[in-house]
Amino acid sequence: MATGTTRTPGRCDVLGQPEVDITELKDGETLNFTAEVDVRPTIEIPDYSGIEVEVDAVEVTDEDIEKSVEQLRERFASTSPVERAAEDGDVVTIDLEAKVDGEVLEDGVASGVSYTIGSGELLDGIDDAVKGLEAGGEATFTSELKGGSAAGKEAEVTVKVTQVAARELPELDDEFAQLASEFDTLDELKADSRKRLENMKQYDQATQAQERVLEKLLELVEVPVPEKLLEDEINTRKHNLEHHQLGQMGLDLEKYLEIQGKTAEEFDTETKDAAVKGIKTQFVLDELVKREKLNVNQEELTEHLMRRAASSGMSPDQFAQAVVEGGQVPLLVGEVARGKALAVVVEAATVKDTNGEVIDLDDDEDETAETVEATSEETPAEDKGEDKTEA
């Protein structure tokens, strides 16, 4: 026979699995136990209509336009082989061989690699090594490998230049505009560049507003963060960084911290602060969803799924299947709902730019869902809470 009593402090929104501790067990007779289960804390949302934030003004300069057009021009550059020493901006075809401790790495040999001098796309030190070499020239330099089986180790790299080609940029005229775009004139191309840059800056401005309004909202609300939930979230963030993000780059945590110029203590502090913010964000916005009675319809969920699929590099069908099979549909619904909750707060806030102008932001719940998603970073708040229920 199992015995126990249940005591629920206030609202009992039970989340997660209980931790059971058997205190007495008599075979076939008595089973006494205690069980603790997390429940979502009760949060009071104060009046947030007085929130005021400042964001960057949307300004597109002539220099911005020229830079944008120049980048497009670079994409349409042509190359032609030359019989001279390689210079900055040239495209060289090279063969590479990397040795560590005198041994050639199995994945340290490459032939026919195309490299633009000065682009910084390959190894540190390669620019100085190849500049001044003609076709057939060879040089050896030392560099830290960025990826592969010996990532992070110092290697002796031999580079041989097999061809030097000069890059030729097209003339900036109407003919270039017709080649590089759907426009007939260079002026039309520049006007379009200005419009696109304005749209990008407006998007960045909206994201900045959402982030700053969220910061202000969190300052207004007292949110208790349970130790067990915080510990789990910190461990989840560290695991994802070490085994997913850094693993794909061929780095370990120690090397990552060295590159970032951070100590282990600084990393732990930043991770904890981010975890606390993610937990608070979910609890506060979930409370707003309930208070404002916000619902997510099929169209909103589909649009959010499409955006998430695009950012993941998967097709919408593949992403949807993975979401369903992984039981992640409620998580996506939660992201959209929290985005709508944040949009309500942003709409009620006063947003001014650095010029003192009041900004009227478009109501875009999917953008706010993205802001919430970036803040939360898969915080398992749906499965955790604060108060304990003892049985």
Side-chain angles (χ1 to χ4, degrees):
M1 177 179 65
T3 62
T5 59
T6 301
R7 295 193 300 276
T8 304
R11 183 188 67 185
C12 183
D13 190 358
V14 178
L15 302 167
Q17 298 297 319
E19 295 181 3
V20 179
D21 181 23
I22 298 176
T23 58
E24 183 180 6
L25 174 60
K26 293 182 180 180
D27 188 25
E29 297 181 10
T30 304
L31 169 62
N32 292 327
F33 64 90
T34 60
E36 290 186 340
V37 63
D38 294 318
V39 299
R40 189 178 297 274
T42 300
I43 299 174
E44 296 296 329
I45 306 294
D47 180 21
Y48 49 77
S49 61
I51 290 179
E52 294 186 10
V53 297
E54 184 180 72
V55 295
D56 296 333
V58 173
E59 297 176 348
V60 177
T61 66
D62 291 340
E63 290 182 1
D64 294 330
I65 304 301
E66 295 301 326
K67 182 179 179 180
S68 175
V69 173
E70 190 63 25
Q71 289 174 342
L72 182 61
R73 188 183 178 205
E74 291 278 349
R75 288 170 50 191
F76 284 84
S78 60
T79 59
S80 57
V82 292
E83 294 183 2
R84 60 166 172 76
E87 302 172 353
D88 270 324
D90 285 343
V91 178
V92 290
T93 303
I94 54 178
D95 298 336
L96 295 166
E97 181 183 82
K99 294 180 180 179
V100 173
D101 299 329
E103 297 290 331
V104 178
L105 300 172
E106 291 185 5
D107 55 354
V109 178
S111 300
V113 177
S114 180
Y115 175 67
T116 302
I117 301 176
S119 66
E121 295 175 349
L122 281 178
L123 301 168
D124 293 336
I126 194 170
D127 288 338
D128 292 335
V130 298
K131 279 190 294 187
L133 295 181
E134 297 184 18
E138 187 175 297
T140 300
F141 64 100
T142 300
S143 182
E144 183 178 295
L145 299 179
K146 298 180 180 180
S149 61
K153 294 184 178 180
E154 290 289 329
E156 182 182 84
V157 182
T158 299
V159 56
K160 180 179 180 180
V161 176
T162 60
Q163 178 180 276
V164 178
R167 300 177 73 249
E168 298 176 359
L169 297 175
E171 292 292 331
L172 279 178
D173 51 24
D174 292 347
E175 186 177 343
F176 167 70
Q178 295 165 17
L179 170 69
S181 71
E182 70 271 28
F183 301 104
D184 294 327
T185 68
L186 184 60
D187 287 342
E188 290 175 335
L189 173 60
K190 288 183 176 181
D192 180 70
S193 295
R194 181 179 294 277
K195 182 178 180 180
R196 286 189 296 104
L197 288 174
E198 287 176 347
N199 288 339
M200 290 172 57
K201 287 180 178 287
Q202 286 171 352
Y203 179 89
D204 291 342
Q205 185 188 66
T207 300
Q208 189 179 65
Q210 292 155 12
E211 292 171 348
R212 293 183 178 180
V213 168
L214 177 59
E215 291 280 357
K216 292 284 189 179
L217 176 64
L218 294 181
E219 291 174 4
L220 293 176
V221 186
E222 185 68 28
V223 184
V225 178
E227 291 184 7
K228 181 63 168 60
L229 174 59
L230 180 58
E231 180 184 348
D232 289 346
E233 175 59 11
I234 291 173
N235 291 337
T236 297
R237 287 173 181 255
K238 287 183 176 180
H239 177 85
N240 288 341
L241 176 65
E242 291 187 63
H243 298 280
H244 296 291
Q245 300 173 42
L246 296 184
Q248 294 176 354
M249 296 186 289
L251 298 175
D252 57 19
L253 182 58
E254 182 179 355
K255 188 60 186 176
Y256 168 75
L257 294 179
E258 180 182 333
I259 294 173
Q260 294 291 316
K262 298 177 182 177
T263 65
E265 290 74 19
E266 290 172 334
F267 170 73
D268 287 342
T269 298
E270 290 180 3
T271 303
K272 180 180 179 180
D273 290 344
V276 168
K277 182 178 180 181
I279 292 169
K280 287 184 175 181
T281 296
Q282 287 205 10
F283 280 143
V284 170
L285 295 183
D286 282 348
E287 188 65 30
L288 272 171
V289 169
K290 292 180 180 178
R291 194 175 88 168
E292 300 293 337
K293 296 181 174 59
L294 301 175
N295 296 311
V296 176
N297 60 42
Q298 185 63 48
E299 182 180 357
E300 291 167 336
L301 180 59
T302 300
E303 289 178 356
H304 186 60
L305 186 148
M306 296 281 283
R307 184 187 64 78
R308 289 289 304 273
S311 64
S312 71
M314 301 171 65
S315 71
D317 288 344
Q318 290 174 327
F319 187 80
Q321 183 176 356
V323 167
V324 173
E325 291 179 351
Q328 302 297 301
V329 173
L331 296 183
L332 288 187
V333 172
E335 289 175 0
V336 178
R338 295 183 195 107
K340 296 181 72 170
L342 180 56
V344 170
V345 183
V346 171
E347 185 178 359
T350 300
V351 181
K352 295 182 179 180
D353 66 16
T354 49
N355 294 328
E357 298 291 331
V358 176
I359 305 301
D360 183 16
L361 298 172
D362 291 333
D363 188 16
D364 190 334
E365 287 87 0
D366 206 47
E367 284 185 18
T368 47
E370 187 173 357
T371 299
V372 172
E373 176 192 339
T375 302
S376 301
E377 286 191 15
E378 299 182 3
T379 302
E382 293 86 359
D383 303 313
K384 299 288 180 180
E386 187 218 11
D387 299 321
K388 300 289 185 180
T389 299
E390 183 177 324

